[in-house]
Each structure stands twice: as C-alpha cells, then as structure tokens.
C-alpha cells in the first residue's frame, strides 16, 4: 500500500508542495495571534472547588482566576486618611476593567493592598493588566504593583516568547552542525528544517482554531515548537539517510523514494503512532490543563506522520540524487588542512563498524552488561519514591516581573497566601438566613477556629458585602494562609479544613459548605489527575504493546521495549527529583529550586518520553528485523541493526537534547523542570538503553526475539515469524551468506532489503 501511495504522491508532487506551502503561510499567520488565547488555568470541572467558583461568580460577581491584587507601598499603612486616599485611587483605576469590583483595602507591614475582582476568566482578565497599571501610574502617587493570576499570566506571555526564541537559537545551529557532520556539506541538510517548519506551523494553526472554543494552556506553544522541532528533524533525518542508502545501491530517484518509504517511512509511521498514543493519554485525564497539553502534544506527531507520507516524498524528489550527494566534512577538512582524522562511527562497513563491534562485544558476555545497566537505572529511579508534587507555584516565575515583585512585597508584609486565599462558600438555600440564626452562629464558630489555626494568617468574615451576597442566601469566609497555595503545608490545611474544621462548625442540616479558591483547587487538581493516571498508563502500555507487536512481528520485542522504556522514564524522573527537588546541581542550570515538582510535569514526562523512547526503539529494531528476515542470525541482526542506526539515533538524540535545552535555559521553573527531565531521559535512552541494555537483553533472549505464533500473526494481519531452531538458522544463514555475504562485507551498504 505504501508503494502505491508514494507513487501517487510523486505523480502530484507539485500540488503537494503547493498545498504544504499554503499550510506553512496560514499556520505561521495564525500562530501570531495564539498567545492572547492561552492561559494557565487549573480549574477542575465537577469538583468542590469548581462548584464554589460557580457560586462566587453567580452570587458575588467574582472569579478567583480573574482577580487582581494591587499592592501599594506607603509610609503609614494604618493611617485611615492614607487608606481612604488609596481606596479612592484604586476604585478610580479599576474603572478601566469591565465588571470590576474593588475589595476592602487592608494594611500590612509598610503596604496596603486590595483585590480587584472581575467576572472575566483568566484569558480575558489578563488583557486588562496593562490598563490597570496605566491607570494606577499617577505622578507623585505611592508606587503600586499589580499582581494576582491575570497579571502574572500577562507578564509571563513575553517570557514564554523570549524563552522560545532562545531555545530555537540554541537548537537550530546545533541541529545544523549535527546534520552536516552526518550528511556532509549538502542540500540534504535543509530538508529536515523544511519538514519541521511545515509540521510545526500546521500544528500551531490547528491549536489556534481549537483555542477559540476550548481553554488551552500557555505552555503549549513552547512544547509544540521545541518538541516538534526535535521530532520532525528526527523523522526527516531517518528518511533522508535511508534515501541516500537506496541511491547508493543504484536505484533510480523514484524507486529509491519508494523503497525508502516502504522501510524508513513505515518505521516513521509506527514511531509517530507510538508517540501519539503516549501523548493521547493526556486527553483522557479529566483536567482541562492536562488535556490541553495532550491536544498540542498529540497533534505534532500526527502532523509529522502526514508530512512524512506526503511532503517528505515530494521534497526527496526535488532533492534528487545530486542534491542528496554531499561532501563529507572529513574529506573537506583533509583537502584543506590535511589532518589525520578518524572515521566517524557508523560509516565503516556494516560488519566492521564501531556500533557492530560494540554490539558483538556486549553480546559475547551479555549478563554483566545487562545486570550493571539495569542496576544503574534502578538506582537512578529510586529517588522517585520521595517525589513531592505541587499543583503550581507562583514563586517560580522570574523575579524581575512586576507581578513577581508585588508578590514578594506582599509575602514579606502579610504572607504569600494573601494573593491566592481560600474561599469557604456557604449556601443556605434560603434568602436572608446567612445574616443571623444558626447558620450565622456556625459561620462565626468556623471563623474563630480558623483564626486560631497556625497556618492561617488572615480570616475575613462579616454580615455585609462582600462577605454576604445581596439576597443573604450566600456567605463566604476568606482565609489567607502563611504559605503558597501549592505548598505541602497549604495542601494539608485544605484537607484539614474540609475533613475537620468545617464539620466541627456544625452547620445546620441542608446548608452546603464548600471550599474553593486556589489552594482547594490545587488539591482537587492533583487528586483528579493522579486518580486516573495509573489506569491510563496501563492502557497506553497495552496499546503500545499491540502496535509494536504488529510493527516488529514479534511477541518478545514489544514486551522488552515497554519494560525498558518504563525503566528509562522512571530513571529520568528520579534524577529530576534529585535536581529540582533536592537541589543537586540546580545552580548549574539556574533552576529556582522550590523543593517540589509541578504536578503536571511527571504526567507529561511519561507521555512524551514513552513516545520519544519508542522512536529510537522503532528505528533500531526495524533495521534488526530487516536483517533477521534476510539472514535469521540473532547476533548478526543485532549488530547490523545497531551499526545501521547507531549514528542516526545518536544524531537524533543530540538534536533532541539541543531542542530541550531551550526549556532548561528559560526563565520559568516549570518548563525548566520539564526540560531537565526530557534531557535526562533522552541521554539515558540513547546511551545506556540502546547501546548496552538492548543488545545484551537480545543476546540473552536469543532466537525468541523474533517469534510470533501463526495464530497471533493472523489476528494482527501480518506474516508469521516461526521460532527457528539451530539447524534452521544454520541452513538459512549459510545459504544467504553464500549469495550475498560478499556484497555486505565489501561496500558496507548494510543488509539488503527483505526478499
């Protein structure tokens, strides 16, 4: 089927190129307006905090995610005249925001502060942050700093854009150097960048459309562009390299493209499906924040698959044999400088190359390599048991931003919980019943108990607005803690509030009491996300196993791939705990160590890394499968597969690491954590797993690597792979080596394609 499809694409190559050019232009234009549609909201529909938020919006005209906090530095914060002047100033400035309501001005150590609540969601409210700041900027007035979720989000937008540009400035030159080292000085090095540009802009254009209907997280642009760059360049790299091999065998241009798509193209499709399955896991987690990451993450491999099947053959036809030919850097330097240069690993004959020799060395004594490599990864994974998760941390934003300075000032004078307080919302069901009677007595008991809690810094309650709505049916108690909303102490307090303090207040029967605001929302976020995560992981493992079983035509190899990938992901997360949570080496990368890891990071790491690890697994094992189908010799198949893909996987890993450095060198702590985890995983996967564990484990398993029973093969609609015994292997190897062995040993072109 791939042959007919590829020839059809080549027949209409000009039309395919024109269509992709249109996608590139439209997607690039749409992506310019994308940041205004994005925001980081941790709302969890259907939870107690979400129901409390609905009451706050309908009864009090406020949204916690759309509320600003204004901090004003004054010399006499407890002076009533000063407070009255600043209250009037704040009310006048708040008129620049529709639906705004100014809260009561409160004094602190050297400051006064108040909230500006709105009915706007986070995406809408952040657009008015600059308007509020301009309105407060009166000549001669005390300096006012605007913070709170909308202001923080507005300040982070240019930071995300700056980090993205920095990441691209790092990744693209490194990728170019790697491609030149691999392909030589050739037009072929430009094909992966053209492929990446088209897939990334296509994905961003699709996200722009989706963001008009659904909430999308602000991180999605950075994740799509940097992961998309590495993924697209990897796929194109594999296909271009195979195209050059097929041309070297004497095929015509179109026949070489068809052969390339039947082999490397098939591997790219299988790899892209594995990545998509891993990232599609996020779509089934009932948290909009995580789902939006899943949308962006799943779209980029899908776009890469479509481009690999359409754009890539058209680009290869333009490239042709002349464009694919390159001047090796080694030869170029020898001609100019005449140095003695070593041969690049992987460029020697297939039986004598570096990677083949490495594989044979390991396979001669596999057990020491297998045990030591596994022990090393298990030791790296052990710190994972001590992981401490946070729903988020507003102190992780760059300290130079105005919202961060306002937060710091408020933290020093009042406490960090003043920016993101807890709202205890009471619904009596009857108008007027919150101002007096049993419900009011219960509210007072709750406020008194809260006042005596060591974690509570401020308790605000009353019988009039803004603590009681106009009808008197709803009331609220505002609680500011001494720690940030995502701190473990704050999380424990929320659970204590729900399980002990509210029941101890003895509210009358029929009265509904719910805890909302950022701290309870954070607890609900973690509970909901990790409540379903283990089951979805199991589903992804099962689906990936089936996909790889069909791709490899083996029962054992998919199981090995799943287990090794789980081990490498666990090791990467364990090392992330060591750096981000324990602070070992955090200063080297400029990470603001908070002692916690954002709760969405391990989920996204698993989904992304499981897919990316499958990339290298598919690249490697498909070449081994080709060799085994040609000559059923396990050691030969492993050595040939590693030799033919070793330098490709190494180059792909180097490009991925360069792309993920953009996260690490940025200014947002959560994205730095993500980048550190991704880099650890890629390095582990491309070195310990692919170089040591894969060949050693395949040597131990032997011929069972390639076994797929007839009945199972029929169910998967693939050719069976019988279990060959020593006599069968010897006969097949002797016959095939006698006819083709001279060619392989001579020109190093690799194993011929399957018969």
């Amino acid at each position: 089927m791939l042959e007919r499809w590829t020839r059809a694409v080549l027949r209409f190559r000009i039309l395919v190129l024109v269509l992709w050019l249109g996608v590139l232009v439209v997607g690039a234009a749409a992506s310019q307006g994308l940041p205004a549609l994005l925001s980081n909201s941790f709302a969890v529909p259907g939870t107690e905090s979400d129901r409390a938020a609905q009451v706050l919006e309908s009864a009090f005209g406020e949204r916690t995610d759309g509320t600003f906090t204004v901090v004003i530095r004054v010399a006499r914060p407890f002076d009533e005249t000063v407070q009255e002047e600043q209250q009037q100033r704040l009310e006048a400035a708040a008129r620049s925001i529709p639906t705004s309501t100014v809260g009561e001005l409160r004094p602190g150590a050297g400051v006064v502060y108040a909230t500006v609540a709105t009915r706007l969601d986070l995406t809408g409210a952040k657009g008015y942050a600059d308007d509020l700041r301009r309105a407060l900027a009166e000549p001669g007035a005390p300096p006012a700093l605007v913070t709170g979720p909308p202001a923080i989000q507005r300040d982070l937008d240019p930071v995300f854009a700056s980090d993205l540009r920095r990441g691209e400035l790092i990744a693209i030159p490194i990728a170019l150097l790697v491609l030149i080292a691999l392909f030589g000085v050739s037009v072929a090095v430009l094909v992966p960048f053209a492929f990446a540009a088209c897939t990334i802009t296509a994905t961003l254009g699709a996200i722009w459309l989706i963001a008009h209907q659904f909430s999308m997280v602000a991180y999605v642009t950075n994740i799509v562009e940097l992961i998309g760059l590495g993924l697209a360049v990897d796929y194109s790299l594999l296909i271009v390299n195979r195209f050059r091999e097929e041309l070297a065998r004497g095929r015509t241009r179109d026949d070489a493209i068809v052969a390339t798509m039947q082999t490397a193209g098939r591997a790219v499709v299988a790899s892209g499906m594995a990545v998509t399955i891993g990232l599609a896991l996020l779509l089934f987690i009932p948290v909009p924040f995580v789902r939006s990451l899943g949308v962006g993450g799943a779209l980029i491999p899908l776009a890469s698959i479509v481009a690999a099947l359409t754009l890539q053959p058209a680009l290869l036809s333009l490239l042709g044999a002349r464009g694919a030919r390159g001047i090796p850097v080694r030869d170029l330097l020898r001609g100019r400088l005449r140095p003695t240069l070593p041969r690049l690993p992987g460029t020697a004959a297939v039986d004598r190359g570096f990677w083949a020799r490495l594989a044979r060395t390991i396979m001669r004594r596999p057990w020491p390599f297998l045990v030591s490599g596994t022990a090393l990864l298990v030791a790296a994974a052990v710190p994972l048991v001590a992981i401490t998760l946070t729903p988020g941390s507003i102190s992780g934003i760059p300290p130079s931003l105005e919202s961060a300075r306002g937060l710091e000032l408020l933290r020093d004078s009042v406490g960090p919980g003043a920016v993101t307080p807890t709202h205890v919302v009471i619904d009596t069901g009857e108008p007027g019943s919150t101002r007096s009677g049993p419900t009011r007595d219960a509210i007072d008991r709750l406020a008194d108990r809260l006042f005596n809690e060591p974690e509570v810094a401020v308790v605000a309650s009353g019988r009039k607005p803004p603590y009681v709505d106009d009808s008197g049916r709803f009331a609220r108690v505002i609680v500011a803690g001494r720690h940030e909303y995502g701190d473990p102490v704050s999380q424990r307090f929320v659970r204590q509030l729900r399980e002990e303090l509210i029941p101890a207040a003895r509210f009358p029967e029929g009265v509904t009491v719910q805890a909302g605001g950022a701290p309870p929302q954070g607890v609900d976020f973690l509970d909901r996300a990790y409540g379903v995560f283990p089951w979805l992981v199991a589903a992804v493992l099962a689906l990936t196993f089936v996909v790889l079983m069909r791709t490899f035509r083996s029962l054992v190899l998919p199981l090995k791939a799943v287990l090794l990938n789980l081990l490498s992901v666990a090791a990467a997360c364990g090392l992330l705990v060591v750096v981000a949570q324990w602070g070992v080496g955090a200063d080297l990368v400029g990470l603001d160590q908070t002692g916690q890891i954002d709760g969405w990071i391990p989920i996204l790491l698993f989904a992304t890394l499981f897919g990316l690890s499958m990339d290298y697994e598919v690249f490697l094992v498909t070449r081994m499968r080709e060799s085994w189908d040609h000559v059923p010799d396990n050691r030969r198949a492993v050595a040939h597969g590693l030799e033919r893909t070793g330098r490709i996987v190494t180059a792909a890993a180097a490009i991925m690491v360069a792309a993920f450095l953009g996260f690490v060198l940025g200014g947002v702590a959560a994205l730095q954590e993500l980048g550190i985890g991704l880099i650890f995983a890629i390095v582990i996967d491309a070195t310990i797993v692919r170089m040591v564990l894969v060949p050693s484990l395949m040597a131990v398993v032997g011929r069972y690597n390639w076994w797929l029973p007839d009945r199972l093969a029929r169910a998967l609609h693939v050719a069976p792979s019988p279990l060959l015994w020593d006599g069968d292997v010897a006969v097949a190897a002797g016959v095939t080596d006698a006819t083709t062995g001279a060619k392989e040993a001579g020109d190093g072109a690799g194993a011929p394609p399957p018969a």
Side-chain angles (χ1 to χ4, degrees):
M1 188 178 75
L2 268 178
E3 179 181 359
R4 293 196 302 271
W5 172 266
T6 304
R7 293 197 183 278
V9 170
L10 293 176
R11 192 175 303 118
F12 299 101
R13 68 193 74 185
I14 301 301
L15 176 61
V16 170
L17 291 171
V18 170
L19 290 176
W20 273 105
L21 181 61
V23 169
L24 177 66
V25 173
V26 173
S31 65
Q32 299 303 309
L34 190 57
L37 304 174
L38 306 177
S39 60
N40 290 339
S41 174
F42 292 92
V44 187
T47 59
E48 179 178 332
S49 60
D50 182 62
R51 293 189 293 271
Q54 294 175 12
V55 173
L56 288 173
E57 183 177 4
S58 61
F60 296 94
E62 299 179 12
R63 288 182 61 113
T64 55
D65 59 347
T67 298
F68 298 89
T69 301
V70 180
V71 187
I72 305 172
R73 191 190 297 273
V74 294
R76 302 187 305 277
F78 294 93
D79 189 314
E80 293 184 0
T81 303
V82 172
Q83 293 181 14
E84 184 177 351
E85 290 175 355
Q86 298 308 315
Q87 183 82 33
Q88 294 174 357
R89 175 191 177 193
L90 191 53
E91 289 175 352
R95 296 191 187 102
S96 60
I97 306 176
T99 74
S100 64
T101 304
V102 179
E104 180 183 358
L105 199 73
R106 294 183 172 276
V111 300
V112 291
Y113 67 97
T115 60
V116 179
T118 74
R119 291 180 178 269
L120 304 172
D121 62 12
L122 182 56
T123 305
K126 74 174 185 177
Y128 291 96
D130 292 340
D131 295 331
L132 181 58
R133 284 166 175 161
R134 283 192 293 268
L136 287 168
E138 299 177 359
L145 299 175
V146 179
T147 186
I152 293 172
Q153 193 64 59
R154 171 63 185 88
D155 290 346
L156 283 177
D157 283 346
V159 175
F160 291 144
S162 175
D163 288 353
L164 185 57
R165 299 287 83 79
R166 184 186 298 111
E168 290 172 344
L169 289 175
I170 295 170
I172 292 176
I174 293 178
L176 183 60
L177 292 175
V178 171
L179 291 173
I180 290 175
L182 195 66
F183 294 150
V185 179
S186 167
V187 181
V189 301
L190 301 179
V191 173
F193 293 108
F195 186 92
C198 290
T199 55
I200 290 171
T201 53
T203 303
L204 292 178
I207 291 174
W208 180 81
L209 292 174
I210 296 171
H212 282 82
Q213 302 298 326
F214 303 97
S215 174
M216 294 295 291
V217 65
Y219 300 140
V220 73
T221 303
N222 297 59
I223 289 172
V224 164
E225 293 204 24
L226 293 180
I227 292 181
L229 175 65
L231 201 63
V233 172
D234 277 6
Y235 289 168
S236 186
L237 170 65
L238 179 71
I239 291 176
V240 172
N241 184 73
R242 188 58 183 256
F243 177 60
R244 287 159 58 97
E245 287 185 19
E246 298 298 336
L247 288 174
R249 291 187 176 124
R251 298 183 188 270
T252 64
R253 181 194 63 181
D254 285 4
D255 287 345
I257 294 173
V258 171
T260 297
M261 296 308 298
Q262 286 181 302
T263 52
R266 191 183 304 276
V268 164
V269 171
S271 174
M273 290 305 300
V275 176
T276 303
I277 289 173
L279 289 165
L281 149 75
L282 305 179
L283 299 176
F284 296 93
I285 293 181
V287 177
F289 182 98
V290 179
R291 279 180 174 171
S292 67
L293 290 173
V295 169
L299 283 176
I300 188 64
L302 288 176
S304 298
I305 292 174
V306 174
L309 294 175
T310 56
L311 176 63
Q312 191 74 61
L315 290 175
L316 292 180
S317 70
L318 288 182
L319 188 66
R322 181 176 298 179
R325 194 179 303 119
I327 304 174
V329 176
R330 183 173 182 268
D331 296 343
L332 187 65
L333 293 178
R334 182 187 290 115
R336 291 181 176 273
L337 305 177
R338 301 186 182 278
T340 301
L341 296 176
R343 182 177 291 275
L344 188 68
T347 60
V350 71
D351 288 318
R352 301 191 303 271
F354 167 80
W355 300 103
R357 295 198 308 271
L358 174 66
R360 288 193 172 94
T361 300
I362 293 173
M363 295 176 76
R364 275 195 293 269
R365 300 187 63 187
W367 280 108
F369 290 99
L370 180 61
V371 171
S372 59
T374 303
L376 188 61
L377 293 188
V378 169
V382 168
L384 185 58
V385 300
I387 191 171
T388 302
L389 299 175
T390 174
S393 174
I394 53 181
S395 65
I397 62 178
S400 60
L401 303 179
E402 178 180 329
S403 54
R405 299 198 308 273
L407 175 64
E408 184 69 23
L409 184 59
L410 196 59
R411 179 192 292 113
D412 294 341
S413 59
V414 181
V419 179
T420 52
T422 296
H423 295 256
V424 181
V425 180
I426 300 99
D427 178 9
T428 63
E430 298 179 4
S433 54
T434 58
R435 297 191 177 97
S436 60
T439 301
R440 171 47 55 183
D441 294 339
I443 294 173
D444 293 340
R445 285 193 294 269
L446 176 62
D448 289 341
R449 293 202 59 168
L450 287 170
F451 186 79
N452 293 317
E453 284 295 322
E455 170 55 17
V456 175
V458 176
V459 179
S461 177
R463 301 171 187 264
K464 298 180 180 180
Y467 306 109
V468 176
D469 77 317
D470 294 336
S471 69
R473 171 183 169 179
F474 299 96
R476 64 173 168 175
V477 179
I478 303 176
V479 186
R482 299 186 184 277
H483 295 81
E484 278 193 37
Y485 75 95
D487 193 277
V489 178
S490 294
Q491 296 181 46
R492 288 194 295 270
F493 171 72
V494 169
R495 300 187 190 280
Q496 180 191 8
L497 174 65
R498 287 173 167 174
E499 298 168 6
E500 299 176 15
L501 299 179
I502 291 177
R506 303 191 307 277
F507 281 90
E509 187 176 353
V511 175
T512 302
V513 184
Q514 299 174 114
Q521 188 182 80
V523 171
D524 292 341
F525 173 87
L526 293 178
D527 289 348
R528 180 67 66 87
Y530 284 91
V532 299
F533 183 60
W535 298 103
L536 294 176
V537 167
V540 167
L541 297 181
L543 284 173
T544 304
F545 177 79
V546 173
V547 170
L548 293 183
M549 189 162 51
R550 193 177 190 280
T551 302
F552 298 157
R553 291 174 44 234
S554 166
L555 185 63
V556 176
L557 290 178
L559 180 61
K560 172 203 59 99
V562 167
L563 294 178
L564 288 182
N565 285 348
L566 275 177
L567 185 58
S568 64
V569 170
C573 291
L575 293 175
L576 176 62
V577 170
V578 173
V579 176
Q581 186 172 313
W582 297 350
V584 179
D587 293 339
L588 297 177
V589 295
L591 177 64
D592 184 14
Q593 186 234 342
T594 61
Q596 301 165 268
I597 294 175
D598 280 50
W600 59 273
I601 296 290
I603 296 175
L604 183 60
L605 273 179
F606 171 81
T608 305
L609 295 178
F610 198 81
L612 293 180
S613 298
M614 287 300 174
D615 260 2
Y616 303 145
E617 185 75 19
V618 171
F619 295 170
L620 177 61
V621 177
T622 49
R623 292 303 291 261
M624 293 179 180
R625 179 83 238 189
E626 283 185 46
S627 181
W628 170 267
D629 287 340
H630 181 63
V631 179
D633 182 327
N634 184 62
R635 291 177 179 269
R636 178 184 183 278
V638 174
H640 281 206
L642 195 59
E643 178 62 32
R644 282 289 143 245
T645 60
R647 64 193 183 113
I648 300 299
V649 168
T650 303
I655 292 170
M656 281 286 189
V657 169
F660 298 151
L661 275 175
F663 291 132
V664 177
L665 300 179
V668 180
L671 290 180
Q672 287 180 295
E673 294 172 3
L674 177 63
I676 291 170
L678 289 171
I679 289 176
F680 274 137
I682 295 299
V683 172
I684 289 171
D685 200 72
T687 54
I688 299 175
V689 174
R690 302 296 159 230
M691 293 182 186
V692 178
L693 293 183
V694 167
S696 61
L697 188 56
M698 293 185 75
V700 170
V701 176
R703 57 180 170 266
Y704 288 93
N705 285 311
W706 315 103
W707 177 49
L708 183 66
D710 291 356
R711 184 175 299 178
L712 193 55
R714 286 195 298 270
L716 296 171
H717 301 287
V718 296
S721 184
L723 184 62
L724 299 180
W725 299 96
D726 292 340
D728 302 324
V729 172
V731 170
V735 171
T736 313
D737 282 345
T739 58
T740 62
K743 171 178 172 51
E744 290 189 13
D747 61 12

